[in-house]
Amino acid sequence: MMNHDTQFCIVGLGLLGGSYAQGLKQKGFKVSAVDINENSIEYALKMKWIDEGSTSLECLKKADCVILGLYPTLVVDWIKENQCLIKSNAIITDVTGIKREIVPAIQSILRSDLEFIASHPMAGREVSGVEFSTPSIFKPANFIITPTESNTDRAIEFVTELAQLLEFRRVTTLTIQEHDEMVAFLSQLTHVIAVSLMNTNDNTHLVEYTGDSFRDLTRIAKINENLWSELFIMNKDMLLKEIDDFSKELQNFRDTLEKEDVERMKQLFIQSTMRRKQFDK
C-alpha cells in the first residue's frame, strides 16, 4: 500500500495540517503543502516540516495522497474546482469534524479515477496555526474513518496505515451518521458547555481565585469562532438534541438538589464516577 516513494500533499497548513506534515516527514516521506498564507508555507519550509510548498496547486499533480485541512464549508467547492489537478488513482482524505454534509457531496462529483475516504483525527489544541503544530497531539488521540459504499478496501487500508504511521492511540471505523452523532455529544456539546460556563458570569477576576476544576472544565472554551461556528451549524440537528438531553439531565440534578434528595444525589455521583473510570483503563 504505502511505501517511502508515496508523496503527500497537505492542503491547508494549519494546526492539524502542520502536525500531519511533521509526522510524515519524521517517518521519511516526501511532503508538500498548499496554503493561501505565504507566511505559513515559509514557516514550515524554514522548520523543514515540508519539502516544498506554495500558494499555487502544482504539488497536487505529484501527490499520491492529498490531505485536506480546510474549513468544512470550503471542502466541497475546493474539490469541485481543483480535482482536475490531482493525478489519477490518488487517494484524498480530510480532517473535517463533520461528515454528513461533506462526504456524499464530494463522492457524487468526484472523478472516477480518484477516491475520497473521509477521516477525522480527534486531536487538537486550544491554539491555531502551523506554528503550534506538533505530531505529539496524535499519540493520546483517536482516529475515526468514515467509509461509505463508494469506498474500496484499498482506500480504507491506506488511511488506516496513515493513522498507525502517525501513532494515533486507536483507529475506529464509523458510518458518517454514527460519526456526526458521536461528535455532537463528545466534542460539540462539551465545547458548548465550556463556552456557556465562561459566559455565565463576569469572569474579570476569576484568575485571582479559580481552582483546577474550573480551569480544567473550561480549557476548550478558548475556541476558534470561525471553525466551530461552521461545525455547529452543519451538525445543528444532532447538536440541538444533545443540548436538550443535557438540559434535561441538568434539570434532573437541580430537582434532586432542591428536594435535598441525598440518596439520589449519591447515586448520580456513583454512576458518573463509574462511567468516568472507563476512560482510565
Side-chain angles (χ1 to χ4, degrees):
M1 282 298 297
M2 193 184 299
N3 57 58
H4 278 90
D5 292 325
T6 303
Q7 295 190 34
F8 294 86
C9 180
I10 298 169
V11 180
L13 202 56
L15 175 69
L16 284 174
S19 298
Y20 270 71
Q22 290 182 61
L24 290 167
K25 277 295 292 178
Q26 288 174 9
K27 299 295 183 178
F29 290 93
K30 185 171 183 179
V31 182
S32 59
V34 175
D35 198 281
I36 59 172
N37 188 335
E38 290 185 8
N39 292 333
S40 295
I41 295 293
E42 290 173 3
Y43 186 86
L45 285 168
K46 176 183 175 182
M47 300 300 292
K48 301 187 184 304
W49 294 343
I50 57 176
D51 297 289
E52 59 180 299
S54 174
T55 56
S56 74
L57 301 173
E58 286 300 306
C59 71
L60 291 175
K61 298 176 181 179
K62 297 181 286 184
D64 302 293
C65 176
V66 177
I67 299 169
L68 302 178
L70 301 170
Y71 276 29
T73 55
L74 300 177
V75 175
V76 177
D77 285 342
W78 189 93
I79 289 286
K80 192 180 301 181
E81 295 168 9
N82 300 303
Q83 63 171 308
C84 59
L85 299 173
I86 302 174
K87 81 175 191 179
S88 184
N89 295 318
I91 290 175
I92 308 167
T93 190
D94 67 328
V95 303
T96 315
I98 192 75
K99 299 304 180 190
R100 287 177 301 156
E101 287 202 21
I102 291 176
V103 178
I106 291 176
Q107 292 181 338
S108 69
I109 62 172
L110 199 63
R111 282 169 29 205
S112 60
D113 61 333
L114 299 175
E115 185 165 356
F116 176 73
I117 173 72
S119 58
H120 182 193
M122 298 289 287
R125 302 178 70 185
E126 298 77 57
V127 287
S128 59
V130 68
E131 64 270 26
F132 298 107
S133 60
T134 170
S136 65
I137 62 175
F138 299 146
K139 292 186 178 182
N142 296 320
F143 187 90
I144 312 297
I145 304 171
T146 57
T148 70
E149 293 180 355
S150 299
N151 288 123
T152 62
D153 290 342
R154 166 181 172 262
I156 296 170
E157 290 170 9
F158 186 94
V159 290
T160 300
E161 189 175 347
L162 175 63
Q164 293 168 343
L165 186 75
L166 294 172
E167 300 183 33
F168 279 86
R169 181 180 181 184
R170 187 182 293 107
V171 181
T172 304
T173 300
L174 298 174
T175 67
I176 58 175
Q177 178 81 11
E178 290 169 337
H179 171 275
D180 289 1
E181 289 175 353
M182 178 273 298
V183 296
F185 177 67
L186 290 179
S187 178
Q188 295 178 346
L189 177 64
T190 53
H191 281 78
V192 170
I193 294 169
V195 167
S196 299
L197 272 174
M198 290 305 304
N199 289 323
T200 297
N201 292 306
D202 177 9
N203 297 295
T204 307
H205 300 290
L206 278 185
V207 69
E208 299 169 13
Y209 44 77
T210 192
D212 288 343
S213 296
F214 190 86
R215 186 178 294 108
D216 291 345
L217 199 56
T218 57
R219 174 182 59 82
I220 55 175
K222 293 184 290 185
I223 192 168
N224 180 328
E225 70 276 10
N226 296 314
L227 173 61
W228 284 91
S229 294
E230 290 187 12
L231 292 170
F232 283 6
I233 294 298
M234 294 177 84
N235 207 29
K236 174 184 170 182
D237 57 339
M238 291 189 175
L239 180 54
L240 284 174
K241 178 185 179 300
E242 296 299 342
I243 291 172
D244 289 343
D245 289 348
F246 179 76
S247 297
K248 290 176 185 175
E249 188 58 34
L250 196 61
Q251 184 63 48
N252 175 44
F253 197 97
R254 188 189 185 286
D255 292 343
T256 300
L257 177 62
E258 186 174 45
K259 295 174 185 176
E260 298 186 11
D261 188 344
V262 176
E263 288 306 311
R264 173 59 181 160
M265 191 178 296
K266 287 180 179 179
Q267 289 173 8
L268 292 173
F269 291 158
I270 291 169
Q271 177 174 277
S272 69
T273 299
M274 294 301 295
R275 290 181 176 180
R276 182 60 182 82
K277 282 182 177 179
Q278 296 300 313
F279 289 96
D280 301 326
K281 290 184 177 180

